[in-house]
Amino acid sequence: MNTAPSVRDNLTTQLRFHFPEITALEFADGEVTIHAGQQLATAAVERTVRRILDRFNSVPPAIRSKVLLDSRVADSVQAWGSRRHAFPVAVLADAARAFSKELRRAVPPLRRRVLPDRSAALRAGINVYGHETAALLAALDRLTASCIRGVYEAEVIHVPSLIPSSLVERAGYVDTGCQHLSFIAPLSTDPDVFDAFVPFWKSDGRDDRRVLDYVRTPRDVLSPAVCLPSYPLLEGKTVASDEALVLSFGGSVFRDESGNLNNRERLLEFHIQETVVIGGAEPLARIHGELADLMVCVASVLGLDFSLQTAADIFFGDAAGSLLFTQLASTNKIELAVRSASVGHPVATASLNKHGSHFAKAFDITDERGLPTSTMCLGFGLDRLAYLLFERFGLDLAALGDHVDANVEALLKERA
């Protein structure tokens, strides 16, 4: 069996997607042991394992992520600080100081608490957040957005959480991420069907697949990637090869990962602060370096224990192996991976993704020569950042603010 870490990750995630009753997988001596909370259909699991592994036969076992920076290694940090494309640290420092002040203002003088803990689970993957977490999420959103808007002439937009399924198809997401799609089906407008729905529901039809008889054909999906609704805005536009357009926005993303869901780092609904950049090769290369450094700066001022590394998505379908190989063999995806005491593995909290001309071709975005231009995006996962910060500081927002202020001064001294 191919034991490359990326293949193990894909196998684990996909099996728990298809068989939610699986609780864990163990890999040793080229074999996999599957643990489940209830009896599995063994033949179906074995077929699925073989099918998944066959898709990754083309991935060399030696290929894996490359660590670009490790916060625990002094030489690595020093080497990164001497890079050519650095994010303007003064802008980050101003945003971080405003962030710490916002946290102190949010310390609640409440005697009675509706939600005394950081969050309450409605079900796996769906949380309600208490006062401190809500305040921290809002502050993290402003921190990351302020950095982008303070450096680039970013156009601020607002994107919906519900998008047409035709947009997902056009963007190519069905081929690369169909496992994340959640279709929305409103109730039927047929009067006879509509009137029969309430009696059916009250007769304990909530867990009955016959509910599909009472809804319309789905036309929309919950957005699986916050950047997707931005590309139609650029359709038919020309961006000169020596310039770059920057869009800044935030929103909710929905990915039903079935058995992988929990209420920590794997959520069905989560919040992203996003930056999309469109333009020529030279300006995008410069901004790519600056945004990679921004991930490092944000992690540093927050005091996270992290690495910056190349990464790959989880791919389903027949093209999974080639897509995985392409991502791992390039720097098309860079992740900020934060070590966690409770999760048991590093948690990806931000990612910087080069798209090449993929979206430009799909939406006819060209340069002055009529050639497809390039795009990339940076996304910060706010829920994950908040979870990891509370893992260390609990609900003490003031202590977190003091910690950030000290780290800002250390970063300024380091980069002076």
Side-chain angles (χ1 to χ4, degrees):
M1 185 180 77
N2 188 335
T3 57
S6 54
V7 174
R8 294 203 304 265
D9 290 346
N10 270 273
L11 180 61
T12 300
T13 301
Q14 293 189 36
L15 280 179
R16 296 194 69 192
F17 177 86
H18 292 301
F19 304 96
E21 57 270 36
I22 292 177
T23 56
L25 280 76
E26 293 182 3
F27 297 87
D29 301 323
E31 295 185 351
V32 57
T33 302
I34 297 173
H35 301 273
Q38 61 188 70
Q39 186 68 33
L40 287 170
T42 305
V45 173
E46 290 178 350
R47 284 196 306 272
T48 305
V49 170
R50 285 195 295 270
R51 185 168 67 247
I52 294 169
L53 291 178
D54 285 346
R55 290 168 177 167
F56 294 101
N57 280 337
S58 61
V59 180
I63 193 168
R64 59 193 63 217
S65 297
K66 303 179 186 69
V67 176
L68 307 176
L69 180 151
D70 190 326
S71 65
R72 293 181 174 181
V73 180
D75 289 346
S76 174
V77 175
Q78 185 175 2
W80 181 270
S82 63
R83 292 170 68 257
R84 177 184 172 194
H85 296 311
F87 189 83
V89 71
V91 174
L92 181 280
D94 289 342
R97 292 187 185 110
F99 169 80
S100 64
K101 289 179 181 177
E102 184 174 352
L103 293 184
R104 293 188 187 90
R105 288 196 299 270
V107 173
L110 304 178
R111 295 180 181 178
R112 291 181 297 174
R113 304 299 302 274
V114 173
L115 186 59
D117 297 319
R118 63 171 300 272
S119 66
L122 293 183
R123 75 167 178 87
I126 303 178
N127 290 336
V128 175
Y129 292 116
H131 174 86
E132 286 87 353
T133 309
L136 179 55
L137 285 170
L140 286 167
D141 187 61
R142 278 185 277 274
L143 167 66
T144 50
S146 295
C147 290
I148 297 299
R149 298 169 192 178
V151 172
Y152 308 105
E153 294 181 350
E155 185 170 352
V156 180
I157 63 173
H158 182 87
V159 296
S161 298
L162 193 66
I163 60 176
S165 56
S166 57
L167 169 56
V168 173
E169 167 66 27
R170 188 177 178 190
Y173 205 89
V174 171
D175 295 324
T176 58
C178 64
Q179 73 274 16
H180 293 148
L181 298 181
S182 295
F183 287 86
I184 297 298
L187 283 175
S188 172
T189 55
D190 181 290
D192 294 331
V193 176
F194 180 84
D195 289 343
F197 170 72
V198 173
F200 162 75
W201 187 262
K202 288 187 174 181
S203 66
D204 202 24
R206 289 180 293 278
D207 296 322
D208 193 324
R209 285 188 59 83
R210 288 179 299 163
V211 73
L212 299 176
D213 296 335
Y214 297 86
V215 299
R216 284 175 269 170
T217 301
R219 297 176 53 202
D220 305 306
V221 299
L222 293 171
S223 183
V226 74
C227 68
L228 290 181
S230 68
Y231 299 111
L233 304 177
L234 302 158
E235 185 164 7
K237 291 192 178 297
T238 299
V239 182
S241 56
D242 62 350
E243 69 174 343
L245 302 180
V246 180
L247 303 179
S248 176
F249 50 99
S252 289
V253 173
F254 301 82
R255 297 182 180 180
D256 191 342
E257 298 188 67
S258 184
N260 297 291
L261 291 175
N262 53 45
N263 296 93
R264 305 186 312 265
E265 86 290 1
R266 291 284 185 179
L267 300 177
L268 192 157
E269 179 182 3
F270 52 98
H271 306 85
I272 300 286
Q273 178 54 231
E274 188 91 0
T275 303
V276 169
V277 187
I278 312 99
E282 186 174 336
L284 256 67
R286 172 180 57 81
I287 295 174
H288 182 270
E290 293 169 354
L291 296 183
D293 191 45
L294 173 59
M295 290 194 285
V296 172
C297 290
V298 168
S300 297
V301 299
L302 294 177
L304 300 173
D305 180 10
F306 69 95
S307 65
L308 196 71
Q309 58 194 45
T310 59
D313 294 306
I314 302 297
F315 293 112
F316 286 60
D318 292 338
S322 59
L323 290 169
L324 177 64
F325 178 82
T326 299
Q327 265 195 333
L328 284 175
S330 69
T331 58
N332 286 348
K333 185 180 184 68
I334 297 176
E335 280 186 348
L336 178 70
V338 179
R339 299 177 181 95
S340 167
S342 62
V343 174
H345 56 78
V347 176
T349 57
S351 68
L352 176 59
N353 304 281
K354 296 177 185 176
H355 309 136
S357 59
H358 174 82
F359 291 115
K361 287 179 179 178
F363 295 96
D364 188 29
I365 310 167
T366 60
D367 62 17
E368 68 275 19
R369 299 164 296 177
L371 299 175
T373 189
S374 298
T375 65
M376 65 182 177
C377 69
L378 167 66
F380 283 95
L382 306 182
D383 302 73
R384 288 184 175 185
L385 283 171
Y387 177 83
L388 293 163
L389 290 170
F390 279 123
E391 184 179 72
R392 177 170 179 181
F393 291 95
L395 300 179
D396 194 341
L397 297 180
L400 175 56
D402 292 342
H403 181 70
V404 167
D405 284 339
N407 290 334
V408 167
E409 298 308 314
L411 182 63
L412 287 172
K413 183 177 180 181
E414 174 188 309
R415 294 289 181 97

